[in-house]
Amino acid sequence: MRLLLVEDELEMATALGAALGRYDMILDHAPTLDHALAALASRVHDGIILDRQLPDGDGLSLIPRVRALKSGIPVIVLTARGAVDERVRGLDMGADDYLAKPFAVEELLARIRALMRRSPDIAPMTARIGKLVFDFDGRQAQVNGQLLDLPRRELLVLETLARRQGRTVQRSTLEESVYGYDDEIQSNSLDAHVSRLRRKLADCGAGVEIHSIRGVGYLLRPSP
Amino acid sequence: MRLLLVEDELEMATALGAALGRYDMILDHAPTLDHALAALASRVHDGIILDRQLPDGDGLSLIPRVRALKSGIPVIVLTARGAVDERVRGLDMGADDYLAKPFAVEELLARIRALMRRSPDIAPMTARIGKLVFDFDGRQAQVNGQLLDLPRRELLVLETLARRQGRTVQRSTLEESVYGYDDEIQSNSLDAHVSRLRRKLADCGAGVEIHSIRGVGYLLRPSP
DNA sequence: CGACAAGGATTGCAGCAACGTTGCGGCGCA
DNA sequence: TGCGCCGCAACGTTGCTGCAATCCTTGTCG
């Protein structure tokens, strides 16, 4: 999923980019309305996160133009102006949601998920690595459109790795998400699952590999 | 437009009813989850405004049931609990918006308008998998134009699976949609229904199969 | 350079939890 | 009163999963 952030503060943009990246979302950044329009011309975005106070005008003025370009794309408006009539105006201008700053990143993510659920032609939240597609919503992995039939533990391993794709996942983190906090583990079962998962991924030519980093953990990446 | 308000405080209900009436909206009032379910059976509502704290349980538990009854209907959750993780949870349970009390009626109205703008083009009325056609509106399944005569529970299982066709449905989710939040289940009845449903689907050559994922749930897909 | 230690990978195995199937009896409904 | 749905339980089956034994890899130190 690829989102466009229209926001003049660089700090906010980098923070959001990092947070969204953790959920396999690509965030493009447009600091002004002009940049935003140029970016939207490519029509590659699945949603817009829109700040109101921009150097070259009110962000809301973008909405009619967005609708003209690509009608159904979801728009979330962010703003420091929290007054009710401002929110009402934003929503009636065609925004799909309106969030007042400061906000929790988790809430923004949840609201994005809620909107994406409603947009039929947008792919569900997925991670793509190599030929592997992991659908976090449906909790399943596919290779070439073929469902990968994985048992629970292996699925949990793959899910956790896919969430942090390209970055190292500490061994303890992995254990925590595969087993509960309460579930105790006394041997190298985790390694065993990783091993079996590796075999299955290789067998179906997923084009990904689970790379191990000695003393730290694992990471999922496309195979060379 | 006709909305259903699920809320135990009479005061709030009458106030909202009056406010919405000014915009030519009809507001039906259900003080409990049971009332809400009964009201929803009529299928005349275009949206749901849902309070969380109800005499007979958490309002959120209504959402899966709503989705089973009529898929795409917009749900706005109201609550006094304003914590971020509560909001995230509500949205991820399938709510379309989440508003903390106290709120301005104007904002609620604007959010309803925003949702209504989106609602017509969502949620296909029928699902097609293999030779099976599931009509969510008429709540019936057909194979080769032939009506599949299924008992209530089996129909609910198939409906829930068809709604998320191709994606995994967790066992708990399935239980929630087939049995109510209040209806307790103490044995493997769900497995039994799945088993009988499988037989019927196979017998009439529906070209679909219910694939089970051990420890996770089931998924509906065309047979190989 | 070679040996050793430590961490990781692999794999067979046994236990057991989850799943599938089926028959029975109760209960509601026509 | 007959029919059929449904919850329940019993029992068979499957295959996941934790464990441990063994082998392999990597890094360190004399």
Side-chain angles (χ1 to χ4, degrees):
Chain A
M1 179 146 51
R2 187 158 174 182
L3 303 173
L4 178 66
L5 173 67
V6 189
E7 158 75 77
D8 57 340
E9 291 171 34
L10 188 61
E11 208 174 306
M12 164 79 81
T14 50
L16 260 186
L20 291 171
R22 245 171 274 136
Y23 294 87
D24 182 40
M25 298 187 203
I26 300 167
L27 188 71
D28 293 324
H29 177 213
T32 67
L33 288 172
D34 276 343
H35 283 88
L37 280 170
L40 284 170
S42 67
R43 292 160 178 265
V44 297
H45 299 99
D46 305 307
I48 301 175
I49 303 171
L50 184 59
D51 192 34
R52 288 200 53 175
Q53 287 150 313
L54 296 171
D56 52 346
D58 187 338
L60 287 189
S61 66
L62 191 67
I63 297 181
R65 281 180 277 183
V66 168
R67 296 294 180 226
L69 269 173
K70 185 179 182 182
S71 63
I73 188 172
V75 176
I76 296 182
V77 175
L78 297 182
T79 188
R81 318 181 202 177
V84 167
D85 54 344
E86 288 288 341
R87 290 205 286 274
V88 170
R89 190 160 155 264
L91 290 166
D92 282 344
M93 285 278 291
D96 294 296
D97 206 338
Y98 203 103
L99 202 52
K101 293 186 198 174
F103 57 90
V105 175
E106 283 72 26
E107 180 168 0
L108 176 61
L109 286 168
R111 287 184 179 276
I112 289 172
R113 283 196 292 271
L115 278 176
M116 291 305 153
R117 264 202 311 269
R118 289 226 159 254
S119 309
D121 34 303
I122 291 170
M125 222 155 315
T126 56
R128 273 159 245 270
I129 314 112
K131 290 180 189 165
L132 176 78
V133 178
F134 197 98
D135 173 2
F136 294 113
D137 192 36
R139 301 200 61 198
Q140 64 191 19
Q142 289 185 354
V143 176
N144 300 328
Q146 196 70 35
L147 179 71
L148 247 192
D149 200 5
L150 295 175
R152 201 184 48 182
R153 303 292 198 200
E154 289 170 37
L155 193 73
L156 283 166
V157 170
L158 187 57
E159 181 179 7
T160 309
L161 291 175
R163 240 183 231 303
R164 309 233 198 292
Q165 57 164 300
R167 269 160 306 165
T168 310
V169 181
Q170 293 197 1
R171 209 189 164 76
S172 58
T173 310
L174 209 47
E175 274 172 10
E176 214 163 64
S177 37
V178 173
Y179 307 90
Y181 300 87
D182 47 352
D183 235 342
E184 287 175 24
I185 186 79
Q186 296 188 345
S187 77
N188 64 342
S189 301
L190 182 63
D191 304 56
H193 289 304
V194 170
S195 171
R196 286 188 269 256
L197 185 54
R198 271 185 178 135
R199 161 162 286 277
K200 283 175 193 168
L201 288 174
D203 280 354
C204 69
V208 294
E209 65 175 20
I210 299 177
H211 181 71
S212 57
I213 293 166
R214 216 182 161 76
V216 183
Y218 295 94
L219 86 90
L220 188 66
R221 67 178 184 192
S223 22
Chain B
M1 178 143 50
R2 186 160 173 184
L3 302 173
L4 178 66
L5 172 67
V6 189
E7 159 75 78
D8 57 339
E9 292 170 34
L10 189 61
E11 208 174 307
M12 164 80 80
T14 49
L16 258 186
L20 290 171
R22 249 173 271 133
Y23 294 87
D24 293 327
M25 298 190 195
I26 299 168
L27 188 72
D28 292 324
H29 177 216
T32 68
L33 290 170
D34 276 342
H35 284 86
L37 279 170
L40 285 169
S42 66
R43 298 158 167 274
V44 298
H45 300 99
D46 306 304
I48 300 176
I49 303 169
L50 184 60
D51 192 33
R52 286 200 55 173
Q53 288 150 314
L54 295 171
D56 51 346
D58 187 338
L60 288 188
S61 66
L62 191 68
I63 296 180
R65 300 285 292 162
V66 168
R67 296 297 181 222
L69 274 171
K70 186 177 182 182
S71 67
I73 188 171
V75 176
I76 296 182
V77 175
L78 297 182
T79 188
R81 319 181 202 179
V84 168
D85 54 345
E86 289 287 342
R87 289 205 287 275
V88 170
R89 185 155 164 269
L91 290 165
D92 281 344
M93 284 278 292
D96 295 297
D97 206 338
Y98 203 104
L99 203 50
K101 294 184 195 175
F103 58 90
V105 175
E106 283 72 27
E107 179 167 2
L108 176 62
L109 287 169
R111 287 183 180 275
I112 289 172
R113 283 195 293 272
L115 279 176
M116 291 305 153
R117 265 200 315 266
R118 289 221 152 249
S119 63
D121 46 81
I122 53 159
M125 286 330 239
T126 60
R128 273 157 239 273
I129 315 111
K131 290 179 189 167
L132 176 77
V133 178
F134 197 99
D135 174 6
F136 293 118
D137 194 37
R139 303 199 67 208
Q140 61 189 21
Q142 290 184 354
V143 176
N144 299 328
Q146 195 70 32
L147 182 69
L148 248 191
D149 197 11
L150 295 175
R152 192 169 105 255
R153 301 294 196 196
E154 288 171 37
L155 191 73
L156 281 167
V157 170
L158 186 58
E159 183 179 10
T160 309
L161 291 175
R163 176 153 287 122
R164 299 191 40 104
Q165 55 165 299
R167 276 172 305 167
T168 311
V169 181
Q170 295 197 2
R171 205 189 166 75
S172 57
T173 308
L174 208 48
E175 274 172 9
E176 223 162 52
S177 345
V178 174
Y179 307 91
Y181 41 92
D182 50 351
D183 236 341
E184 285 178 24
I185 187 78
Q186 296 188 344
S187 76
N188 61 346
S189 302
L190 182 63
D191 304 55
H193 289 303
V194 170
S195 173
R196 287 187 267 260
L197 184 54
R198 269 186 181 137
R199 162 160 288 276
K200 282 175 195 168
L201 288 173
D203 282 353
C204 69
V208 294
E209 66 174 19
I210 299 177
H211 181 70
S212 59
I213 295 169
R214 207 164 241 267
V216 183
Y218 295 94
L219 85 90
L220 187 66
R221 67 177 183 192
S223 20

